[in-house]
Amino acid sequence: MDKPDIVYTKVDEAPELASASFLPIIQKFAAAAGVSVGTRDISLAGRIIAAFPDNLTDAQRQEDDLAALGQLVKTADANVIKLPNISASVPQLTAAVAELQAQGYAIPDYPHSPSTDEERDIRARFDAIKGSAVNPVLREGNSDRRAAKAVKNYAQSNPHRMGKWSADSKTHVATMGGNDFRSNETSVTLSAAQAGPARIEHTAGDGTVTVLKDGVDFPAGTVVDATFMSAKALSAFLQDQIAKTKDAGILFSIHLKATMMKVSDPIIFGHAVKAFLKPVYEAHGDALAAAGANPNSGLGAVLEAAKSAPNADEILSAIDAAMDANPPLYMVNSDKGITNLHVPSDVIIDASLPALIRAGGKGWGPDGNEADAVCVIPDSSYAAVYDEAIEDCKAHGALDPATAGTVQNVGLMAQKAEEYGSHPTTFEIPADGTVRMIAANGDVLHEHTVEAGDIWRSASTRKAPIEDWVKLAIERQALEQCEAIFWLDADRAHDAELLKYVRPMLDEAGVADRFQILSPREATKISFATIRAGDTSIAVTGNVLRDYLTDLFPILELGTSAKMLSIVKLMNGGGLFETGAGGSAPKHVQQLIEENHLRWDSLGEFCALGESLKFLAQVKDNAKAKVLGEAVDAATQGILDHDKSPGRKVGQPDNRDSHYFFALYWAQALAEQTDDADLAAHFAPIAKALAEGEDAVTAELAAVQGKPADIGGYFQSDPAKTAAVMRPSTTLNEIIG
């Protein structure tokens, strides 16, 4: 694999469309400093193609870029700008396969119920692509996420709209609190004797032993957790919440992460679909199963499959009756009838709940009106964070972005730390019995009595990432000199094991008095008080909370999580620069295709680019790259100061306009700087041409809006068609080349 100075990832949906416009600008400017910028394909379509080379022609095959990047990030040479990619649910995966097949790729169908060795092999390849498959491979370091200073200043000067909270709002969080993953968790730190390949086995009531997973290799010092959620308790909880929601007269919503938690959460989602359609499944469950209805894929999949059942009219009528008898559902799209239960990847907890809190606790109902809602989070591990946030807003009103301080995050995520969803150690239990995890030396690490249908899962966190995480927290607190909190609950099994590392390290560094150690609920309460006072707090968290909090607080503070500065200091010396959170914005793509307007905001890419160039300057001793990176900061500030971020509606300036103005401000900053006369001379005529061409460029960009755009594919667009759509200004193209 070639090693350009900077690798810019090829991804999906809105960020990839934006790259078609922005990347040529980056490459043009970087070349002047002798910096090469290459691309590597980690898109969903690209990963599918790489997984099935034997099915494809020589022209269709492509390298497994994710695997290659996985090796690169373990080296000191790594400098990767990582854009948001699709974490595929099964519906997204099957849709991508269908598109590739239509484009002539002989990709096999996704086998929902594999019965042959060939089908099991195909399923295993697809399962390696599902869910949060990219981030665990690339994140060979821990996370440093915060709002860039320019972005925070702009948000305070130009506060986004916040919904009004009422003290008597009926919106609330509902969680199991018992017989769930949180309450059943056990955790152990492996001794040297226990290190090595462990196995997970299920012993049924009749004594039959089934090895669920073998050869799960753990080094000494690894924190290994295991837990399960009772299917019976989950079903009873969901039925109870449906009844209570109807009595309260509010919307029903469930909030999961079926993309990251790619095995457990789709199953939980399926339980919610079946609970909402309980009388339908009691009467027609066998017929729905025979028709291929999979509730784990959502209500939409059930409705579609029901149409092919022999008694379709009867089943569809029963579904309508069940929907009418239940409380109204929180809607993803009221106009199109897309409910909270339609597709598991449509309502992702770290985006959906902050948006609801920002909106004053209101969600859209099927009648097209806003209403209070119950927010069902079945597992209680982190439900308290959202519950406390909602209660804080009820008590104190909405957060004021004009005066709010900020919550930064130092997140433990290196080497797949706490990756419940991405580890192949989650199982839906086939029969009553016992699940044990057995260490290499024969010690029983974990043992749980389970019933058929229960969801059992394990995860691990290695010693080196934990120690690196604590050191990063100490470093960030020393730089910020502000409040810092380890969001760890001493009464939770996993957190108690982490604290055996955290407390001695803080003591040894002599900084224990600079940090608080609080449960997630208490940490949420204090953090809200801190930012309401206009101050800064550093949340030092595990992986899942990193994911949740770096959406929650930015969405409240900035209006979006896509504008976060996200730096991963790789453990072997390289750098991974993520372009903020915020997902890959499928609705933005829909708008582009329908109206040729892309409202994706590349501010996260701007921030990541500046940090990447400055990091390159440091490790490669490239003074020109440093000048380039500092000029990126000036250009980013220019975008904010001159309000050149994309508008939401067709006819307003969009993503392409923001890239033109970024190029203008970047060139002007380089032309005016005094640290490198050669760069200043090089960019002076470019800055002049960009400034003189403003009227022509903006007119050419505006002229294409309002009409449908053809990009030649959704998951794998046509490069020439996409370039034509995303680079429609002849004037700008001639300047950039």
Side-chain angles (χ1 to χ4, degrees):
M1 172 179 174
D2 294 334
K3 289 184 180 179
D5 294 311
I6 296 173
V7 173
Y8 203 87
T9 52
K10 181 181 186 298
V11 288
D12 311 279
E13 297 181 325
E16 181 54 27
L17 291 172
S19 291
S21 167
F22 188 39
L23 187 56
I25 296 170
I26 296 174
Q27 291 171 325
K28 169 78 171 182
F29 280 58
V35 175
S36 59
V37 181
T39 60
R40 294 292 177 262
D41 187 354
I42 59 170
S43 68
L44 176 58
R47 288 181 281 132
I48 293 172
I49 292 168
F52 295 97
D54 296 342
N55 300 61
L56 308 177
T57 67
D58 288 342
Q60 290 174 329
R61 291 190 189 105
Q62 63 184 62
E63 182 183 357
D64 186 346
D65 279 358
L66 177 59
L69 279 180
Q71 294 304 310
L72 177 63
V73 294
K74 295 176 182 177
T75 72
D77 291 334
N79 189 326
V80 180
I81 297 178
K82 176 6 185 114
L83 280 68
N85 62 281
I86 291 176
S87 294
S89 64
V90 171
Q92 288 172 307
L93 191 62
T94 55
V97 169
E99 179 178 297
L100 288 170
Q101 290 170 342
Q103 293 175 348
Y105 290 82
I107 303 293
D109 290 334
Y110 177 83
H112 291 278
S113 301
S115 58
T116 67
D117 287 344
E118 182 183 8
E119 288 179 345
R120 280 187 282 272
D121 172 65
I122 292 170
R123 174 66 179 265
R125 296 195 209 186
F126 277 126
D127 284 349
I129 298 167
K130 277 192 323 191
S132 184
V134 169
N135 289 336
V137 174
L138 299 186
R139 287 171 171 170
E140 281 288 317
N142 291 308
S143 171
D144 172 10
R145 282 189 173 181
R146 56 191 187 275
K149 187 175 181 180
V151 174
K152 183 62 179 177
N153 290 342
Y154 179 82
Q156 289 180 322
S157 300
N158 302 270
H160 60 276
R161 188 182 69 83
M162 297 284 282
K164 185 177 181 181
W165 272 92
S166 169
D168 59 1
S169 169
K170 293 182 179 180
T171 293
H172 65 282
V173 167
T175 191
M176 290 174 70
N179 230 339
D180 61 353
F181 294 131
R182 167 69 174 82
S183 59
N184 290 326
E185 184 178 74
T186 53
S187 185
V188 62
T189 301
L190 296 194
S191 67
Q194 294 169 326
R199 73 179 184 276
I200 303 166
E201 61 182 35
H202 172 263
T203 304
D206 63 2
T208 302
V209 177
T210 302
V211 176
L212 300 176
K213 187 73 178 178
D214 204 358
V216 186
D217 201 21
F218 300 124
T222 301
V223 175
V224 182
D225 314 313
T227 186
F228 73 97
M229 176 180 282
S230 163
K232 287 181 181 177
L234 171 62
S235 295
F237 164 74
L238 291 167
Q239 290 293 340
D240 181 55
Q241 288 305 314
I242 290 169
K244 287 180 176 176
T245 305
K246 184 172 183 180
D247 289 343
I250 57 178
L251 304 177
F252 180 89
S253 66
I254 188 166
H255 301 263
L256 297 164
K257 190 147 190 178
T259 49
M260 181 180 181
M261 309 298 188
K262 64 184 179 183
V263 180
S264 60
D265 282 22
I267 297 171
I268 297 171
F269 193 84
H271 277 277
V273 172
K274 288 188 288 187
F276 219 76
L277 301 180
K278 184 178 181 182
V280 180
Y281 270 88
E282 289 175 344
H284 305 288
D286 291 342
L288 283 169
N294 182 3
N296 295 7
S297 294
L299 177 60
V302 173
L303 287 167
E304 190 61 32
K307 295 175 184 176
S308 63
N311 55 337
D313 290 343
E314 184 182 355
I315 294 175
L316 291 170
S317 178
I319 290 175
D320 287 341
M323 298 292 285
D324 289 341
N326 281 325
L329 281 170
Y330 167 105
M331 302 297 288
V332 171
N333 189 320
S334 299
D335 294 337
K336 297 187 177 182
I338 306 299
T339 74
N340 172 250
L341 292 178
H342 258 68
V343 182
S345 56
D346 270 356
V347 181
I348 302 301
I349 183 171
D350 48 332
S352 59
L353 267 172
L356 184 142
I357 294 169
R358 182 184 59 193
K362 301 292 186 181
W364 293 102
D367 59 359
N369 295 317
E370 288 186 307
D372 292 343
V374 60
C375 304
V376 174
I377 308 173
D379 178 40
S380 59
S381 294
Y382 301 113
V385 170
Y386 297 108
D387 180 60
E388 189 62 39
I390 287 171
E391 293 307 310
D392 185 273
C393 289
K394 287 182 185 179
H396 303 291
L399 197 70
D400 183 358
T403 59
T406 189
V407 176
Q408 303 180 1
N409 182 268
V410 173
L412 171 60
M413 67 178 191
Q415 299 179 355
K416 304 181 182 180
E418 299 183 2
E419 280 280 359
Y420 272 118
S422 297
H423 270 224
T425 50
T426 302
F427 308 95
E428 191 169 22
I429 301 302
D432 293 1
T434 303
V435 176
R436 295 182 181 89
M437 177 179 276
I438 302 171
N441 70 345
D443 288 354
V444 176
L445 301 175
H446 301 288
E447 182 172 348
H448 294 102
T449 301
V450 293
E451 297 179 321
D454 289 353
I455 308 164
W456 188 96
R457 69 188 193 186
S458 72
S460 64
T461 310
R462 298 187 176 206
K463 178 180 180 180
I466 298 171
E467 293 178 337
D468 181 79
W469 170 61
V470 178
K471 291 174 183 175
L472 180 58
I474 292 171
E475 175 186 319
R476 288 300 310 154
Q477 196 282 330
L479 288 170
E480 296 288 345
Q481 292 291 309
C482 67
E483 172 184 281
I485 303 171
F486 278 89
W487 292 48
L488 297 173
D489 186 347
D491 293 329
R492 178 180 173 183
H494 169 72
D495 290 6
E497 292 301 307
L498 288 187
L499 286 170
K500 293 177 183 177
Y501 283 104
V502 172
R503 286 190 168 117
M505 289 187 68
L506 295 180
D507 287 339
E508 185 178 351
V511 295
D513 60 334
R514 300 181 189 175
F515 291 86
Q516 299 179 69
I517 297 173
L518 299 171
S519 71
R521 179 180 292 280
E522 287 304 308
T524 304
K525 185 175 183 178
I526 287 181
S527 298
F528 265 88
T530 298
I531 60 175
R532 284 186 185 278
D535 296 325
T536 298
S537 183
I538 301 173
V540 189
T541 72
N543 198 357
V544 178
L545 264 183
R546 169 203 59 80
D547 205 38
Y548 291 0
L549 297 190
T550 54
D551 275 301
L552 174 61
F553 287 109
I555 285 173
L556 298 181
E557 294 176 30
L558 311 176
T560 177
S561 57
K563 299 178 181 180
M564 289 287 280
L565 186 60
S566 184
I567 301 169
V568 181
K569 294 187 175 181
L570 300 171
M571 292 173 62
N572 289 325
L576 176 68
F577 304 92
E578 299 184 325
T579 61
S584 46
K587 289 183 180 179
H588 293 200
V589 185
Q590 180 182 345
Q591 185 181 20
L592 176 88
I593 292 171
E594 293 174 354
E595 303 178 331
N596 205 347
H597 179 90
L598 184 65
R599 67 179 188 263
W600 176 262
D601 191 338
S602 293
L603 196 60
E605 288 94 305
F606 302 160
C607 293
L609 175 63
E611 292 298 319
S612 171
L613 286 165
K614 286 182 280 188
F615 177 76
L616 180 71
Q618 177 185 344
V619 298
K620 299 282 183 153
D621 195 24
N622 184 333
K624 291 183 183 296
K626 181 174 184 287
V627 173
L628 234 64
E630 290 174 346
V632 165
D633 293 344
T636 303
Q637 189 69 60
I639 291 288
L640 295 169
D641 289 346
H642 296 96
D643 195 21
K644 296 302 183 183
S645 295
R648 296 180 61 83
K649 298 179 180 179
V650 67
Q652 296 176 330
D654 77 348
N655 176 264
R656 294 163 288 195
D657 294 85
S658 71
H659 292 161
Y660 157 69
F661 283 105
F662 182 87
L664 170 62
Y665 301 145
W666 195 7
Q668 288 175 336
L670 287 164
E672 294 167 2
Q673 55 81 31
T674 57
D675 292 333
D676 190 309
D678 290 340
L679 281 179
H682 177 85
F683 281 100
I686 297 174
K688 183 174 184 291
L690 287 168
E692 291 177 347
E694 179 175 343
D695 289 344
V697 171
T698 54
E700 290 163 354
L701 295 175
V704 301
Q705 289 203 40
K707 299 178 287 289
D710 178 13
I711 56 174
Y714 184 89
F715 295 97
Q716 176 159 274
S717 62
D718 179 88
K721 289 182 177 180
T722 303
V725 169
M726 293 306 300
R727 302 187 69 197
S729 169
T730 303
T731 303
L732 178 59
N733 295 345
E734 288 176 350
I735 298 170
I736 297 301

